[in-house]
Amino acid sequence: MTAILAAVFTISGLGLIFGLGLAIGSRIFAVSIDPRLEKIEELLPHLNCGACGYGGCSDCARALLEEEAEPAICPVASPETHREIAELLGKILEEEEKTTARIFCRGGYDAARRYLYEGIKTCQAANQIGGGVSACDYGCLRYYTCQKVCPFEAIGIDDRGNPVVDPELCRSCGLCVRHCPRDLIRIVPSKSEVDIRCSSRAKGKTVVKVCAVGCIACGKCVKECPVEAITLEDNLARIDYDKCVNCGKCIEVCPRNIISRV
Amino acid sequence: MIAELFIIFIGVVLVNNFVLARFLGLCPYIGVSRDLKSALGMGLAVVFVMTMASAVTWVIYYYLLAPTPHNVWFLLWGDGVDPSAFDFSYLRTIAFILVIAALVQLVEMVITKTSPALYRALGIYLPLITTNCAVLGVTVLNIDIFFKAGEPLAGSFIKCLVQGFGAGIGFTLALVLMASIRERLDLADIPPALKGAPIAFIIAALMSMAFLGFTGLI
C-alpha cells in the first residue's frame, strides 16, 4: 500500500513542484508585450518576403512598434493597410502612389550571346564570366533569377524569352530589383503605360551589332513627344513619368520597336 | 578521475555519438540542418538542456526512485532495514519526461527575459527539444550506465554531467557537420530526384559509417 502511495506522491509531487516552479518563473521572468504588436502583425501580409529589410513580418511589426520603421515600410501591403497601421501607432500617413516593377530589356532570344554558358543557372553567376553571357553589356542574361525570387509569381516569360512583370500581381516589393545583376528592373509608377524597354548605354553602332531591339539614341522619340517627356542621356532615351501623358506617339516613330505600351 | 571523465566525454562525442551511432534525435538532425547558423543555435540549446536534465534526473532518481537507503519514501515509511520494496525505477520514463518538459519551459522563460536576441535566434527550436528523444535518451542511459542495482557508482553525479554535456556536444557536432555539407549540396550538381531530403539521408548514412571508424578508440 505504501508503495502505491509513494509512487502516486512521487509523480504528483514532481508535477506540483514543477508546475509551481513554472508559475513562479513565469512571474519572475514575465516579459510585457505591447498588445499592439499582435495587431500590427495581423495587419501585415504574413508573406515573410523580407522586402522591408527586416527578418520577416513579425520582426517588421516589432520595428514598426519601436518606431524604427515608417508605417508605410511594407511595400507589399495595400495603402489601406498602411493607413490602419499608422492609425494604430497614432501617426498620420502621407498619400502614396501605386507602383510596379518594370524590366527594361526586350532583347530576348534575338540578342546575341558571347559564348555557350554551362555554369550555375543564375543571373549573378552568368554575369561574372567574361563580362556576362549576353553580348550586350547591358542586356538581360535570361536565367530569370527575377522570376525565381518573385514571391508573388508576378514575373512571367513572354514568347520571345523576355521576363515580363504582370502589373496586376506585382506588389513592388523590390526583390527582383535587388537580384538583377544588370540593374534592368526599376520600380515605376503604375500610371505610366508607355515606356522605353532598353537599358543599353552603348553607342548606336555597338547596339546594332548585338541586338535587334536596342536603343541607338536616334532621338526620333524625343522630337515626336508633344510634352517633352523624353530625354536622351548616355546614348539612351528615357521617359519622365511626371510629364508623360501616355499618348503613344513615340511608339510609332521608334525604328527599333523598343517603345511599347504595357 | 579526470582521465575517466575525459574517456566518457570522448566516448559519447565520437564513439557512441548520439545521432550517428545511437540514432537518437534524428528529427532535428534532418529538420534543422539546413543552414549552419540555426544548426549551431539548436545544438547549443540541446547542450544546455541535456546537461541540466542530467543533473536534475540524477537527483530525482537517487532520492525518489531508486531502492536505496537514501530513498526519501524509505526513510519516511520503511522499516529501516530493507529498501527493496521502494523500487520506483519503473516511473523513470514519465518522471524524466516531466523534468525535461519543465526544464525546457523554464529555459525558454529565462532566455526570453534575459536575452531576446538569443530567443529570436533559437526561435521554435527551443520548444522542439521537449520532445527530442536524445534528451530523454541521455538521462535514461545515465541511469543505466552509472547506477548498479539502484546504487550509484563512485562520482556518478559528475560523470552524469559530463555524459550529458558530451552528448550535447556530440549532437551539435553531428548537426553542424550535416549543415555544412548540406549548405554545399545546395550548389552541387545532384540528380533532380535526389534533391533535398533523399540526398540528406544518403549523406547521413555515409557520415554514420564514417563515425564507425571511431569504434575501439576507447
Side-chain angles (χ1 to χ4, degrees):
Chain A
M1 190 57 205
T2 47
I4 295 172
L5 272 182
V8 170
F9 284 148
T10 305
I11 294 303
S12 51
L14 281 180
L16 195 69
I17 292 169
F18 291 145
L20 282 176
L22 284 182
I24 295 167
S26 69
R27 267 295 165 83
I28 297 174
F29 298 110
V31 179
S32 54
I33 296 168
D34 197 318
R36 289 179 299 172
L37 186 71
E38 207 174 311
K39 280 186 197 156
I40 295 175
E41 221 179 314
E42 254 167 50
L43 286 171
L44 290 172
H46 299 289
L47 290 158
N48 296 322
C49 63
C52 53
Y54 293 97
C57 288
S58 48
D59 201 28
C60 181
R62 181 198 54 79
L64 280 166
L65 196 65
E66 287 167 12
E67 311 209 335
E68 219 174 86
E70 287 302 309
I73 182 148
C74 180
V76 175
S78 61
E80 290 92 75
T81 312
H82 288 159
R83 214 166 302 127
E84 278 174 60
I85 292 173
E87 219 168 86
L88 210 63
L89 293 168
K91 284 184 181 174
I92 296 157
L93 193 68
E94 288 159 33
E95 278 304 307
E96 57 186 310
E97 194 178 30
K98 195 167 167 8
T99 56
T100 177
R102 190 168 290 165
I103 299 170
F104 288 83
C105 179
R106 296 183 79 200
Y109 297 130
D110 303 336
R113 306 285 253 188
R114 276 208 181 95
Y115 46 80
L116 189 66
Y117 179 72
E118 290 284 356
I120 299 167
K121 301 270 185 286
T122 66
C123 296
Q124 281 82 356
N127 189 33
Q128 277 172 0
I129 299 169
V133 65
S134 112
C136 170
D137 283 336
Y138 303 91
C140 177
L141 297 154
R142 286 199 281 112
Y143 285 101
Y144 309 120
T145 299
C146 48
Q147 187 191 25
K148 281 167 207 149
V149 298
C150 181
F152 313 105
E153 294 177 0
I155 299 182
I157 315 292
D158 71 5
D159 52 353
R160 296 182 55 228
N162 290 310
V164 276
V165 179
D166 183 340
E168 292 292 312
L169 294 173
C170 177
R171 292 159 93 168
S172 53
C173 67
L175 267 185
C176 51
V177 178
R178 266 179 276 157
H179 276 86
C180 181
R182 297 211 143 172
D183 294 331
L184 296 178
I185 313 176
R186 289 191 285 144
I187 303 289
V188 299
S190 298
K191 68 171 172 32
S192 100
E193 288 168 17
V194 177
D195 219 330
I196 300 164
R197 304 301 190 91
C198 181
S199 300
S200 174
R201 285 168 180 77
K203 291 224 168 68
K205 206 176 146 195
T206 323
V207 174
V208 174
K209 257 189 224 162
V210 294
C211 181
V213 281
C215 178
I216 52 172
C218 63
K220 279 190 179 163
C221 49
V222 180
K223 278 179 212 138
E224 192 67 26
C225 184
V227 289
E228 292 179 351
I230 307 181
T231 48
L232 269 183
E233 203 179 305
D234 295 339
N235 299 315
L236 182 61
R238 276 273 171 262
I239 290 186
D240 182 338
Y241 303 115
D242 292 332
K243 289 183 191 161
C244 178
V245 290
N246 296 322
C247 67
K249 279 182 181 152
C250 47
I251 300 175
E252 287 145 34
V253 296
C254 180
R256 311 277 295 169
N257 284 325
I258 309 159
I259 311 180
S260 67
R261 217 172 257 281
V262 177
Chain B
M1 182 69 181
I2 298 286
E4 221 176 317
L5 293 179
F6 185 69
I7 286 171
I8 291 173
F9 183 76
I10 293 296
V12 80
V13 171
L14 295 177
V15 185
N16 289 321
N17 187 293
F18 262 63
V19 178
L20 298 169
R22 291 196 199 272
F23 310 117
L24 289 170
L26 291 179
C27 166
Y29 179 57
I30 299 294
V32 197
S33 60
R34 216 155 269 157
D35 65 307
L36 201 55
K37 220 179 123 202
S38 54
L40 206 61
M42 176 75 178
L44 292 180
V46 168
V47 170
F48 185 76
V49 171
M50 275 185 171
T51 317
M52 291 290 287
S54 291
V56 177
T57 52
W58 187 93
V59 173
I60 285 176
Y61 189 77
Y62 185 64
Y63 286 107
L64 290 174
L65 305 180
T68 63
H70 312 279
N71 189 308
V72 171
W73 308 119
F74 173 67
L75 292 176
L76 279 178
W77 294 326
D79 51 11
V81 186
D82 179 24
S84 63
F86 293 88
D87 182 3
F88 302 116
S89 45
Y90 62 88
L91 291 174
R92 192 170 67 173
T93 311
I94 190 168
F96 288 6
I97 286 280
L98 261 178
V99 171
I100 294 164
L103 213 60
V104 172
Q105 288 295 315
L106 196 69
V107 169
E108 196 179 346
M109 277 179 214
V110 174
I111 292 181
T112 322
K113 178 79 175 180
T114 53
S115 167
L118 181 64
Y119 179 71
R120 269 206 294 278
L122 289 179
I124 54 158
Y125 307 127
L126 213 50
L128 268 181
I129 301 172
T130 319
T131 48
N132 189 337
C133 61
V135 182
L136 183 66
V138 76
T139 55
V140 168
L141 279 171
N142 278 341
I143 305 303
D144 280 350
I145 297 171
F146 299 123
F147 280 77
K148 249 199 183 91
E151 198 56 51
L153 303 174
S156 74
F157 181 71
I158 195 83
K159 282 179 189 166
C160 278
L161 275 185
V162 169
Q163 172 147 295
F165 180 72
I169 295 288
F171 180 84
T172 313
L173 178 73
L175 211 62
V176 165
L177 285 178
M178 187 65 168
S180 329
I181 295 174
R182 283 183 78 177
E183 275 189 353
R184 290 183 179 215
L185 279 182
D186 285 345
L187 294 173
D189 204 6
I190 303 167
L194 287 179
K195 270 197 177 133
I199 194 78
F201 280 123
I202 293 173
I203 300 285
L206 290 175
M207 276 174 71
S208 184
M209 279 194 271
F211 266 67
L212 267 182
F214 289 115
T215 316
L217 187 69
I218 50 167

